[in-house]
């Protein structure tokens, strides 16, 4: 028995050694755990804009829904002051630090396109997609037959009138001049038949009513050359409006707006998006909305279309450009256009319904002779602005102002 115990001890030790060896062999032959997969970071699209309030909320909700549809893409919205937006964007493109997309006023498109700071969109965007948008708005962002931006929303001028004083909208300025608000003893209670803030944008529709034009068929400025006579008639007419005692026609926006807010005007030429201002001043149920009054029965104006457009940075990578195009298509699709419409913008897409309270504005804009895009050509806009300001501010006679801009322009200029 004593001999048997040492023998059993040796057997047990051998078994343990074999078991340990087997365990080590099993561990060495087991497959190594796989490495954690490397997740690709999402593609970032940055959009510069100057929107606020309901429009910014609509833009943000559209962007967030886009991210849900495309989980591999993230959209960052960066607010810029409107006064700095175009300049900052232009400089950042030159520095290679610009956003992939920008929402800006349509009148700056030609200036940025001339610097090659906007990507052409006509080839990647299908004809069917372009045809869903209002043609006049597309004309404002088409430069040399190439499309450089997509209109998102627009606004136009209409006539607001108080039904308590005017059962029907005045169709012409002759009818407006025939109105005689009661004379008041003090300036604080004075009433006008029409309030009209005079700016280049608000008065430009009446240049066409005078038979004038900014550019010829080739896009060359003509307002101070071959179109000079019509421009003179337009500016002279504006001067006459300023002298009419029953009309508040002024370049002082604060004075015009104060009269509207106080309910001391019977009618006003203003942008459609300001409908709520008149509803508060007069009461919503008495606000009438009509197309712009004509100078005379045979001189109807065309209304101006001020657009807000979406453009793409040309220095974006191919991947960013493709994602930016997909987002652009989303912004002109019916759901996004309806959302922007509810936020206060007039939709650029055809057939999109607007809220019931703004249907009259849309109808008024559709009744005008034509919807003219605000000029996007700096060679026209800037010199014409100089002429306008000097004339309406009585700084220079009309012929002298036109002569000055003609002398400062290169051959073939205004």
């Amino acid at each position: 028995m004593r001999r048997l115990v040492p023998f059993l001890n040796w057997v047990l030790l051998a078994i343990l050694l074999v078991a340990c060896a087997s365990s080590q062999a099993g561990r060495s032959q087991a497959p190594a755990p796989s490495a954690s997969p490397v997740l690709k970071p999402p593609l970032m699209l940055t959009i510069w804009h100057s929107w606020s309030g309901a429009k910014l909320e609509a833009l943000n909700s559209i962007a967030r829904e886009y991210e849900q549809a495309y989980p591999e893409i993230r959209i960052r919205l960066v607010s810029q002051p409107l006064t700095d937006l175009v300049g900052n964007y232009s400089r950042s493109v030159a520095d290679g630090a610009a956003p992939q997309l920008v929402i800006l006023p349509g009148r700056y498109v030609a200036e940025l396109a001339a610097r090659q700071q906007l990507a052409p969109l006509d080839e990647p965007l299908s004809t069917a997609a372009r045809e869903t948008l209002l043609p006049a708005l597309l004309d404002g962002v088409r430069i040399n037959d190439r499309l450089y931006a997509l209109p998102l929303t627009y606004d136009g001028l209409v006539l607001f009138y108080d039904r308590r004083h005017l059962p029907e909208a005045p169709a012409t300025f002759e009818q407006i001049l025939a109105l005689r608000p009661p004379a008041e003893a003090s300036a604080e209670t004075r009433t006008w038949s029409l309030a009209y803030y005079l700016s280049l944008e608000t008065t430009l529709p009446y240049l066409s009513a005078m038979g004038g034009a900014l550019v010829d068929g080739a896009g060359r400025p003509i307002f101070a050359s071959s179109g000079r006579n019509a421009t003179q008639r337009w500016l002279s007419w504006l001067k006459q409006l300023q002298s009419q005692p029953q009309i508040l026609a002024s370049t002082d926006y604060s004075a015009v707006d104060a009269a509207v807010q106080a309910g001391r005007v019977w009618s006003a030429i203003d942008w459609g998006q300001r409908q709520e201002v008149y509803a508060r001043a007069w009461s919503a149920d008495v606000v009438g909305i009509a197309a712009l009054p004509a100078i005379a029965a045979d001189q109807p104006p065309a209304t101006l279309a001020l657009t807000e457009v979406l453009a793409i940075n040309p220095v974006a990578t191919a991947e960013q450009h493709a994602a930016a195009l997909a987002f652009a298509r989303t912004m002109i699709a019916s759901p996004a256009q309806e959302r922007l419409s509810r936020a206060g913008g007039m939709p650029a897409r055809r057939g999109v319904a607007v809220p019931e309270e703004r249907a009259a504005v849309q109808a008024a804009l559709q009744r005008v002779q034509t919807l003219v895009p605000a000029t996007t050509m700096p060679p026209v806009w800037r010199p014409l602005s100089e002429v306008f300001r000097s004339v309406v501010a009585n700084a220079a006679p009309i012929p002298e102002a036109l002569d000055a801009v003609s002398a400062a322009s290169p051959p073939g200029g205004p």
Side-chain angles (χ1 to χ4, degrees), residues 7-23:
F7 174 77
L8 290 175
N9 288 340
W10 280 108
V11 170
L12 289 173
L13 179 61
I15 292 173
L16 287 173
L17 291 175
V18 171
C20 289
S22 299
S23 177

Side-chain angles (χ1 to χ4, degrees), residues 298-378:
D298 59 345
Q299 292 179 285
T303 194
L304 196 67
L306 293 186
T307 56
E308 292 179 296
V309 305
L310 180 68
I312 297 177
N313 180 358
V315 298
T317 66
E319 193 177 14
Q320 289 172 329
H321 187 80
L325 272 174
F327 184 75
R329 294 188 186 97
T330 298
M331 289 292 287
I332 62 172
S334 293
Q337 286 286 293
E338 290 172 359
R339 189 166 296 175
L340 292 175
S341 173
R342 292 193 296 271
M346 199 61 66
R349 186 183 177 95
R350 303 189 203 200
V352 174
V354 299
E356 183 178 356
E357 64 273 14
R358 295 176 52 243
V361 171
Q362 187 180 52
L365 293 174
Q366 292 175 348
R367 284 197 299 270
V368 297
Q369 182 184 29
T370 183
L371 198 63
V372 179
T375 177
T376 58
M377 299 178 62

